[in-house]
Amino acid sequence: MIQPIYLYGSEVLRRKAEDFDLNDKEGLATLVQDLKETLKVSDGCGLAAPQIGVSKRVLIVDGTGMVDVYPYLENFIRTMINPVVIEESGKTAVYSEGCLSIPGVYCDVSRPASMTVEYYNEAGEKVTEVFDKFACRMVQHEMSHLDGDMFVDHVAPIRKKIIARKLVNIATGKVSTHYKSKIK
């Protein structure tokens, strides 16, 4: 079912999400389906469970809509349950980030250029995978949501001042989205 996306200022986005109980197969199937359907209609490239009001460590990334810019993202779709960063590179990369929970705001953010993540897939299998380039960025961005962290927390102080009014407007509901959204 398509869920509303919680916007900047919503308490759920600032909470550290809890691990998902892998024995709850029915609950997992429902949550994953909701994430997929909501992501599809919102035209994003990733969505974490807290963004639909569920404080659990589940996320989806889908780079297939970006193959015109990043051809290596063809077929790049991941559902990650209880992901954990095993290792991050010392080298960093800067990309412009945006977020469905912070509509209309884009900022350059520096993050590790690659990382190794251990997670469970939809079948309940443990997977260890290395991510780099923009795939790494998508996973990092969504994993940050699981820790109550948002990309605007990583921008330079002067940039944060520049976007402050936009953030206040979002947090007070003075924003328009083409997808269902809410602040709570």
Side-chain angles (χ1 to χ4, degrees), residues 3-17:
Q3 300 294 328
I5 294 177
Y6 283 69
L7 300 180
Y8 183 87
S10 298
E11 184 185 317
V12 70
L13 297 175
R14 292 304 191 172
R15 260 188 260 141
K16 184 174 173 101

Side-chain angles (χ1 to χ4, degrees), residues 32-176:
V32 168
Q33 189 62 35
D34 288 354
L35 284 166
K36 286 179 179 180
E37 290 178 17
T38 304
L39 181 61
K40 184 175 182 169
V41 299
S42 65
D43 295 323
C45 63
L47 196 61
Q51 290 180 274
I52 61 168
V54 180
S55 192
K56 295 292 182 181
R57 298 187 75 77
V58 179
L59 65 86
I60 292 183
V61 289
D62 181 349
T64 59
M66 302 180 74
V67 295
D68 54 331
V69 178
Y70 305 112
Y72 55 85
L73 292 177
E74 186 175 9
N75 302 317
F76 184 80
I77 302 172
R78 301 288 186 282
T79 299
M80 304 172 83
I81 301 129
N82 302 334
V84 176
V85 175
I86 302 300
E87 185 179 356
E88 293 178 325
S89 71
K91 184 178 175 188
T92 59
V94 175
Y95 284 96
S96 180
E97 293 189 30
C99 182
L100 294 169
S101 292
I102 311 176
V105 176
Y106 301 89
C107 301
D108 286 345
V109 178
S110 178
R111 297 186 192 255
S114 65
M115 68 178 182
T116 303
V117 178
E118 187 175 273
Y119 64 94
Y120 291 90
N121 63 20
E122 286 181 72
E125 303 162 327
K126 189 181 252 186
V127 176
T128 301
E129 189 169 2
V130 176
F131 298 99
D132 64 0
K133 302 178 189 169
F134 200 74
C136 182
R137 181 54 52 114
M138 289 188 300
V139 172
Q140 289 168 327
H141 179 104
E142 298 310 327
M143 284 184 71
S144 287
H145 279 298
L146 304 180
D147 293 326
D149 195 26
M150 301 181 85
F151 82 92
V152 293
D153 300 330
H154 301 279
V155 301
I158 187 70
R159 183 70 176 135
K160 186 98 177 214
K161 260 189 149 129
I162 292 169
I163 64 172
R165 171 60 48 206
K166 286 183 179 181
L167 296 177
V168 168
N169 285 342
I170 294 167
T172 56
K174 296 175 189 156
V175 66
S176 174

